[in-house]
Amino acid sequence: MTQILPVFPLVAENYCDRRGYPEGVAFMDEQYLPMSEAKISVLDWGFLHSDATYDTVHVWNGRFFRLNLHLDRFFGGMERLRMKLPYDRGTIESILRNCVALSGHRSAYVEMICTRGSSPTFSRDPRQAENRFIAFAVPFGSVANKVQMERGLHVAISETVRIPPNSIDPSIKNYHWLDLVKGLYDAYDMGAETALILNTNGHVAEGPGFNVFVVKDACLRTPAFGVLPGITRRSVFDLSAEIGLSAAADDISRDEIKAADEVFITSTAGGIMPVTRIDDTAIANGQVGSITRRLMDLYWQKHDDPAWSTAVDYPQS
């Protein structure tokens, strides 16, 4: 009787990726690459365990905005996660500049990442992992599109609870987003455009990639507990002090946010973005408020201010 041997597929010598990617430039393993060629190992703890920290900074009209603050947070996160890289701060800043310059983007979303990496022996001891640095620059993108920026966003409050800060330090920017993604789907189910989720005390916390502010009687408040201290959030405090507005971090209930005179969200991906509807409730008259518009205008004006921004040197054409 003839034995039929199994036929196995061939192991490809080269990986072929047919997905589409935004135009941009990445840096990894001492190389600058097109975004379509930037890959991470499936054994990297950043992928397997969300064991990574990152930061994002944007470039507008050829200038980084508040780059030093983003670098401060990135290095602080690495230190608290006990990660180390072979690059000092100046080198990482140069890498970010090169990614933008080589991409040619005058308005860009720029990310720096440190993953735990992986162990050459597949050890489960994180101390044996070789930490890995990745950076990239792609076209600028916003949480809110042009229409939403004019009329204001419709936000829904999800019952989903943010990961408590005694479990994951929210000041370390991380990829633990399953609670935020669940909240986002809750918002879609309610007919809204994005979401806010709650902290462990039942108060409003933050949304997927953004902080939130309420304005009441010309005073600004933003959640204090269990949220990422965003750079744009800090910029609102700085701008408010500059023009004589009171701004504070405090608890904010669902009833308080719906009763606000104005509401806006803040993110590196979009800046200061108005909210005119929470759940089924219009905020005040349902129009973008005057304080929100004033802060939005000031925020974008600061992008040309050398005290707030840093020019990118592009290759000569």
Side-chain angles (χ1 to χ4, degrees):
M1 183 175 179
T2 303
Q3 182 180 8
I4 299 175
L5 298 176
V7 178
F8 293 101
L10 297 175
V11 176
E13 293 184 7
N14 297 295
Y15 171 66
C16 180
D17 185 352
R18 296 179 176 86
R19 295 170 180 82
Y21 294 89
E23 291 294 324
V25 170
F27 173 89
M28 57 196 313
D29 299 327
E30 305 294 331
Q31 304 163 79
Y32 291 94
L33 305 164
M35 285 302 300
S36 59
E37 296 298 317
K39 312 295 180 186
I40 187 170
S41 169
V42 296
L43 298 180
D44 193 301
W45 282 38
F47 170 72
L48 291 176
H49 307 306
S50 291
D51 191 351
T53 188
Y54 74 106
D55 217 291
T56 55
V57 58
H58 71 244
V59 170
W60 193 255
N61 289 337
R63 301 182 71 88
F64 279 103
F65 189 64
R66 314 213 83 173
L67 177 57
N68 283 332
L69 295 181
H70 287 279
L71 288 168
D72 287 345
R73 185 169 62 184
F74 181 60
F75 276 87
M78 283 195 297
E79 181 178 0
R80 290 195 291 281
L81 292 177
R82 305 191 188 192
M83 292 176 172
K84 293 182 179 180
L85 291 173
Y87 310 116
D88 61 18
R89 182 182 176 118
T91 301
I92 287 180
E93 182 173 347
S94 294
I95 291 169
L96 299 179
R97 290 171 178 270
N98 289 340
C99 286
V100 176
L102 293 170
S103 76
H105 296 316
R106 297 283 167 167
S107 297
Y109 180 91
V110 186
E111 189 155 330
M112 61 197 97
I113 307 164
C114 182
T115 74
R116 186 70 62 189
S118 58
S119 164
T121 61
F122 198 50
S123 167
R124 297 180 68 85
D125 185 340
R127 296 171 298 181
Q128 295 182 20
E130 298 172 352
N131 301 162
R132 192 176 192 194
F133 178 72
I134 304 163
F136 63 81
V138 294
F140 179 79
S142 175
V143 173
N145 61 36
K146 186 176 181 180
V147 171
Q148 293 165 339
M149 291 290 278
E150 284 300 314
R151 65 155 161 82
L153 284 155
H154 178 193
V155 176
I157 300 175
S158 167
E159 295 297 323
T160 302
V161 176
R162 191 72 171 110
I163 297 171
N166 56 344
S167 296
I168 302 294
D169 182 352
S171 68
I172 303 172
K173 201 166 172 67
N174 62 70
Y175 293 120
H176 299 285
W177 267 50
L178 290 183
D179 49 359
L180 294 169
V181 172
K182 181 179 181 299
L184 196 54
Y185 273 99
D186 291 342
Y188 294 154
D189 290 343
M190 290 185 273
E193 294 164 323
T194 192
L196 286 167
I197 65 174
L198 307 174
N199 63 31
T200 50
N201 298 322
H203 295 120
V204 172
E206 59 188 345
F210 59 80
N211 297 115
V212 64
F213 280 80
V214 300
V215 182
K216 188 70 174 179
D217 299 327
C219 294
L220 282 70
R221 293 166 61 217
T222 189
F225 177 74
V227 300
L228 173 77
I231 304 302
T232 313
R233 176 180 182 266
R234 172 169 171 173
S235 295
V236 169
F237 279 99
D238 294 340
L239 293 171
S240 297
E242 192 171 295
I243 61 178
L245 291 174
S246 170
D250 198 1
D251 289 336
I252 298 174
S253 71
R254 282 179 279 194
D255 289 340
E256 286 175 314
I257 196 170
K258 292 181 181 182
D261 298 330
E262 302 178 36
V263 177
F264 59 85
I265 62 174
T266 60
S267 173
T268 293
I272 297 170
M273 296 163 279
V275 174
T276 51
R277 193 170 193 83
I278 303 283
D279 295 337
D280 295 325
T281 303
I283 302 303
N285 63 1
Q287 303 295 314
V288 180
S290 59
I291 289 177
T292 301
R293 287 200 182 277
R294 186 181 183 191
L295 288 170
M296 289 168 67
D297 290 343
L298 285 171
Y299 173 80
W300 289 107
Q301 289 171 20
K302 290 294 186 183
H303 285 64
D304 296 322
D305 186 340
W308 289 58
S309 62
T310 312
V312 176
D313 293 323
Y314 292 89
Q316 296 298 314
S317 57

